[in-house]
Amino acid sequence: MAFATLAPMPILRLVIGSPLRRLFDYLPPESLDAEACWDLPTGIRIRVPFGHRSTCGILLEVCQDSEVPADKLRHAQEILDEEPLLDEGQLALCLWAADYYKHPPGEILNAALPPALRDGKPYSPAGVPHWRLSTKGLGLPEGAPERAPKQAQLLEMLRAQKALQCSAIQDAGFSAGVLRQLVQKELVEEFTAPPVVKQPTCEAGLALTKQQQQVLSAIDLQDGFQCYLLEGVTGSGKTEVYLQLIARCLSAGRQVLVLVPEIGLTPQTLRRFQKRFKANIGVMHSGLAEGARQRAWDDARHGRAHIVLGTRSAIFTALPNLGLIIIDEEHDASFKQQDGFRYSARDVAVKRAQNEDIPILLGTATPSLESLNNALSNRYQHLQLTERANNAAMPQYETVDLRGQALRGGLSPRLLQQISDTIGAGDQVLLFLNRRGYAPSLQCHDCGYIAGCKHCDARLTLHRKDAQLRCHHCGWQMPVHNRCPECQSSQLVAWGMGTERLEQNLAQLFPDTPVLRIDRDSMSRRGAMDRIYEHIALAEPCILLGTQMLSKGHHFPNVTLVSLIDIDNALFSADFRGPERMGQLITQVAGRAGRGDKPGQVLLQTHYPDHPQLQTLLGQGYGEFARQLLGERVLLGMPPSGQLIMLRAEANQRSAGETFLHSLREQACQQQLPGQCVGPLPAPLQRRQGRYRWQLMVRCESRPTARASAEQLVAIAEQLATPAQLRWSIDIDPQDML
Ligand code: ADP
Ligand code: ZN
Ligand code: ZN
């Protein structure tokens, strides 16, 4: 029997931005010669029909077979790019992340593109306007036009140089008018060309301390993948180590990627980089305007950016010539995305360094237990800086026992005295209170009513300046009532203290000293942090007060007194990571003290001065504290000893999430899931934005069993019947138990 041999039709396998955890197959566009499609490069965008609409996918593979029957396959509509927008390394990293985090690959690849390109808009490479001679201009004899010597000179220059940027024309002394006249005569024309990037140069660095030298010489940039953990106390000169390492990498002609927790909060970091390097430094964060983002993306992927300084999502930036990755403040929770694609940029970065066979440096004063564990077990190379760089001493801790003390404006007599003394000595004070707003609740003194959020199981925070009650979980707000809605009493009492109230108290207590508040409310305007920095740089007495934002790597050389106003909440967290976070926070905030010439002092106000973990932290330092916590985690079988997976479900009905997670657990048990289930339990804040939230935690012994469990859990969840309103999600290596 003879078969007619049919050449197989190429199948285009695409990733499409949809919530489905799978790839999609299409036939070539009908308008195209199918044979030509075998040679399409991966990473280009293709427009395809998707359901009843059309969308844009990214080509992963051209293959011979599809699991979809041939008559069900649809034709793609249009090939959108000639050149790939995502290179092979990026595709591989994104697909690894999709598989590891069990997230739909399309959403991840989309996130690696600037927003405009996700919708299929044509890609026009970033360029800068240049001028050149037009055909008419080229045909002109030399020296013309004779009666306009300036114009003739400019034409001559363009003839010699082929193309000039506007700035170069100006620099050569030609007025805008000369250029305009040539344009009117159609002798010159404008076009865009890629920016010309000069070789990076570098200012001399500081003379390194012995410890810094040892660290720097331990890091090998030539020897492929290696992960280094740099554990260096606050002010030990980690940034100087980064800068000198970057200089080495740049002089070898490679690109460097630096991830930091938040760029807007630490304008200093960018400035230090700009001062040290005459180089193209691409800044990448979510607050960028669309044009700037695309330019930075473009510079990076064409190798024109020498350094990319970015937040979490910058880890997916294409860098063809990447030679080194640095993660500053690697312990910071902001590296883990808490919704949607719940990835850890730090962990993805380590994977990326491994894929590209390059070194990666994780730096912090307060390593996460995960990284510390990797260092102690020699998976990472452990580097330490135990002393401050500029001969500064480490700050001295003192706990202030609040029990039975008469407080003024939330401050103990001891703290008040220290603030006065510090200001009197001409120095600056930093006060930390991790609660914004005026007061965390408003209560009726007559009937006990407490203002609560309409949509969450949460109290409303009083923002007195705006006269609003605001929910810090969902953003809902309402004007402050004059009377209790339950009993009409006018005895409404603001209970507790937030930064707005502390600011007011301080202004009354220290009327002659400027008080600068740093929290999400006061910093919402652009450049607000810059203004604070300018003020601080005056080196005059002032009181800085703020939230978590103050803990992030700032260098305030004139702050000599730091106080954490209320650490009691942090001492008793329900989360198993609570103590670790507390240790990091206290150490980081304290680390802002005494970074200049004068020694620093840290006062901790608490009702629990004898708390054992606090004692360890203050007495023996974060390093010892963290090593003890690590021992406890091993006993509990909690990360980094053992792996966690969190399944969450939320719905408008109270128990729909619970029912769903119960069925999930039952089926998982039947299938002998290689992990141990805890739950379903209500989430700590059970109702949020009107939705009831439940969670099921799965604990696994090892990474391989965790990966197998995750695979199985997703497969089960995708098969389970879900009420229309129910949303479920999976979180691999969850950071927050909320
Ligand atoms: P970290 O990043 O570890 O908190 P920084 O890099 O901000 O520390 O350094 C703290 C201070 O010490 C800065 O003012 C920095 O200029 C200074 N410094 C760092 N290294 C040196 C050095 N080798 N010699 C003198 N001063 C240094
Ligand atoms: Zn009342
Ligand atoms: Zn709310």
Side-chain angles (χ1 to χ4, degrees):
M1 217 169 21
F3 290 103
T5 46
L6 273 176
M9 187 73 138
I11 309 273
L12 308 178
R13 186 153 294 163
L14 304 184
V15 164
I16 288 175
S18 93
L20 298 173
R21 289 174 181 78
R22 46 167 288 214
L23 304 176
F24 296 86
D25 291 349
Y26 286 88
L27 296 170
E30 282 171 307
S31 57
L32 262 179
D33 172 18
E35 279 305 305
C37 288
W38 288 111
D39 299 326
L40 287 174
T42 58
I44 57 170
R45 294 171 304 158
I46 299 181
R47 183 170 293 292
V48 293
F50 193 69
H52 296 294
R53 61 194 175 97
S54 117
T55 187
C56 155
I58 293 166
L59 182 65
L60 271 195
E61 189 183 359
V62 184
C63 41
Q64 301 206 0
D65 302 300
S66 175
E67 285 173 11
V68 183
D71 57 338
K72 289 265 162 44
L73 283 174
R74 299 166 79 181
H75 284 277
Q77 291 161 330
E78 190 189 356
I79 309 286
L80 294 170
D81 302 305
E82 276 175 30
E83 297 287 319
L85 293 191
L86 297 170
D87 67 27
E88 272 174 35
Q90 263 181 308
L91 288 176
L93 188 69
C94 290
L95 293 179
W96 172 83
D99 181 49
Y100 183 83
Y101 291 105
K102 297 288 166 237
H103 194 76
E107 292 187 0
I108 302 176
L109 284 181
N110 262 348
L113 290 177
L117 297 180
R118 291 170 205 167
D119 321 331
K121 292 217 181 73
Y123 165 60
S124 52
V128 282
H130 282 68
W131 294 94
R132 67 181 168 205
L133 295 184
S134 63
T135 324
K136 191 172 162 194
L138 282 167
L140 225 55
E142 269 179 48
E146 277 153 27
R147 270 180 289 154
K150 267 288 180 194
Q151 293 178 28
Q153 275 173 27
L154 180 51
L155 288 175
E156 199 46 48
M157 197 166 135
L158 282 168
R159 207 187 313 274
Q161 312 245 342
K162 304 281 189 288
L164 287 173
Q165 285 187 33
C166 273
S167 53
I169 293 176
Q170 259 171 22
D171 293 348
F174 295 100
S175 69
V178 177
L179 186 60
R180 196 167 48 236
Q181 280 154 354
L182 292 178
V183 175
Q184 273 163 9
K185 294 180 184 166
E186 296 179 355
L187 294 172
V188 299
E189 63 189 15
E190 196 179 13
F191 71 107
T192 50
V196 181
V197 178
K198 296 203 190 86
Q199 279 298 314
T201 59
C202 169
E203 300 287 308
L206 300 173
L208 294 178
T209 64
K210 199 149 186 260
Q211 287 193 333
Q212 283 173 321
Q213 265 170 25
Q214 282 166 351
V215 165
L216 217 63
S217 57
I219 298 174
D220 191 342
L221 293 181
Q222 312 298 331
D223 194 32
F225 170 69
Q226 168 69 359
C227 185
Y228 300 90
L229 173 65
L230 173 57
E231 184 180 14
V233 297
T234 53
S236 58
K238 294 182 291 295
T239 313
E240 185 61 32
V241 169
Y242 303 156
L243 292 172
Q244 302 210 13
L245 206 55
I246 292 170
R248 259 165 56 187
C249 198
L250 294 184
S251 68
R254 313 281 299 264
Q255 295 173 290
V256 182
L257 174 61
V258 183
L259 295 191
V260 294
E262 267 159 288
I263 288 177
L265 288 183
T266 47
Q268 271 178 328
T269 311
L270 178 59
R271 249 174 264 142
R272 271 173 92 175
F273 276 63
Q274 287 166 335
K275 242 176 98 185
R276 182 65 58 90
F277 302 107
K278 294 276 164 297
N280 183 357
I281 303 177
V283 174
M284 289 208 182
H285 57 91
S286 54
L288 279 188
E290 183 54 29
R293 183 197 303 257
Q294 190 160 331
R295 258 194 313 282
W297 179 81
D298 220 57
D299 275 1
R301 65 190 288 264
H302 286 112
R304 292 194 297 265
H306 304 116
I307 302 171
V308 168
L309 182 65
T311 48
R312 185 172 64 216
S313 63
I315 190 55
F316 292 104
T317 309
L319 294 153
N321 212 357
L322 186 61
L324 169 69
I325 303 177
I326 295 174
I327 315 267
D328 189 24
E329 311 290 356
E330 66 86 27
H331 66 279
D332 197 280
S334 74
F335 287 123
K336 171 87 194 213
Q337 183 154 312
Q338 307 281 14
D339 52 13
F341 173 30
R342 295 173 166 83
Y343 67 104
S344 153
R346 178 193 66 212
D347 297 349
V348 173
V350 173
K351 179 68 188 174
R352 178 167 183 176
Q354 200 174 19
N355 285 353
E356 305 199 13
D357 201 26
I358 55 168
I360 174 169
L361 176 64
L362 312 179
T364 175
T366 52
S368 63
L369 295 192
E370 281 78 3
S371 297
L372 186 64
N373 186 50
N374 282 323
L376 296 177
S377 59
N378 291 324
R379 267 190 299 274
Y380 295 174
Q381 193 171 330
H382 199 177
L383 308 170
Q384 280 169 292
L385 295 170
T386 56
E387 288 161 10
R388 284 192 158 174
N390 45 2
N391 289 322
M394 291 306 287
Q396 292 296 315
Y397 285 105
E398 177 184 330
T399 46
V400 178
D401 188 350
L402 290 183
R403 285 172 297 185
Q405 296 254 4
L407 304 182
R408 282 178 69 199
L411 310 176
S412 61
R414 170 80 183 139
L415 178 53
L416 284 168
Q417 184 60 49
Q418 290 300 308
I419 295 176
S420 310
D421 289 355
T422 306
I423 296 168
D427 295 331
Q428 299 174 342
V429 176
L430 184 153
L431 303 179
F432 174 83
L433 177 63
N434 212 6
R435 204 182 293 128
R436 64 198 169 87
Y438 185 84
S441 68
L442 185 69
Q443 189 178 34
C444 171
H445 190 55
D446 284 330
C447 78
Y449 158 86
I450 291 174
C453 178
K454 204 170 155 189
H455 308 287
C456 307
D457 294 333
R459 295 176 175 192
L460 293 172
T461 299
L462 173 62
H463 287 254
R464 207 159 109 174
K465 205 162 135 260
D466 306 334
Q468 293 285 331
L469 288 165
R470 212 167 272 161
C471 175
H472 285 187
H473 298 280
C474 73
W476 183 75
Q477 60 177 16
M478 61 183 280
V480 179
H481 359 253
N482 295 322
R483 296 192 167 274
C484 170
E486 302 285 326
C487 76
Q488 308 307 315
S489 155
S490 60
Q491 296 294 307
L492 291 170
V493 186
W495 190 87
M497 183 170 74
T499 46
E500 193 188 327
R501 188 173 207 168
L502 180 58
E503 179 185 28
Q504 196 180 65
N505 296 347
L506 288 164
Q508 279 164 11
L509 290 163
F510 302 96
D512 302 325
T513 308
V515 176
L516 309 172
R517 173 158 64 96
I518 302 175
D519 59 27
R520 196 130 54 86
D521 300 316
S522 68
M523 290 293 112
S524 57
R525 254 170 294 124
R526 265 183 147 235
M529 199 68 197
D530 286 304
R531 281 193 290 281
I532 296 264
Y533 264 101
E534 278 161 28
H535 200 113
I536 295 170
L538 297 176
E540 283 166 12
C542 65
I543 303 174
L544 302 166
L545 91 105
T547 54
Q548 194 103 15
M549 285 188 170
L550 277 179
S551 66
K552 311 235 170 184
H554 305 280
H555 183 65
F556 304 135
N558 298 300
V559 168
T560 57
L561 174 67
V562 163
S563 177
L564 293 93
I565 301 299
D566 178 7
I567 58 166
D568 291 352
N569 271 336
L571 293 178
F572 303 98
S573 159
D575 194 322
F576 78 94
R577 282 198 177 82
E580 176 186 354
R581 297 250 176 267
M582 170 196 77
Q584 290 164 344
L585 187 69
I586 292 179
T587 310
Q588 292 290 348
V589 175
R592 302 313 111 204
R595 294 170 68 94
D597 304 331
K598 298 188 199 172
Q601 185 191 16
V602 183
L603 295 191
L604 300 139
Q605 296 200 126
T606 175
H607 290 90
Y608 309 93
D610 304 322
H611 190 283
Q613 284 170 330
L614 185 62
Q615 296 269 337
T616 309
L617 179 69
L618 304 189
Q620 301 176 58
Y622 180 84
E624 183 53 34
F625 168 81
R627 283 159 180 79
Q628 288 191 16
L629 287 184
L630 210 47
E632 289 170 24
R633 295 272 183 91
V634 173
L635 293 179
L636 293 170
M638 292 300 258
S641 168
Q643 310 289 319
L644 292 185
I645 300 167
M646 185 73 94
L647 284 126
R648 299 189 177 86
E650 55 168 66
N652 294 350
Q653 305 92 335
R654 186 177 290 274
S655 57
E658 185 184 19
T659 313
F660 175 84
L661 291 176
H662 255 305
S663 321
L664 179 60
R665 180 183 174 147
E666 246 163 51
Q667 290 212 17
C669 288
Q670 277 167 21
Q671 296 182 17
Q672 278 150 15
L673 184 86
Q676 172 201 352
C677 296
V678 182
L681 293 169
L685 179 77
Q686 197 193 356
R687 188 177 59 115
R688 184 176 164 173
Q689 280 188 298
R691 301 182 48 92
Y692 293 89
R693 308 170 330 134
W694 292 83
Q695 55 194 34
L696 175 69
M697 189 174 88
V698 182
R699 213 185 59 76
C700 303
E701 294 297 331
S702 68
R703 206 166 277 286
T705 52
R707 297 199 67 169
S709 295
E711 182 87 40
Q712 213 171 324
L713 288 162
V714 168
I716 298 170
E718 285 186 330
Q719 301 302 318
L720 281 179
T722 49
Q725 288 290 327
L726 185 133
R727 292 272 171 284
W728 66 269
S729 65
I730 185 165
D731 189 353
I732 310 289
D733 307 327
Q735 280 297 307
D736 260 321
M737 298 294 110
L738 306 180

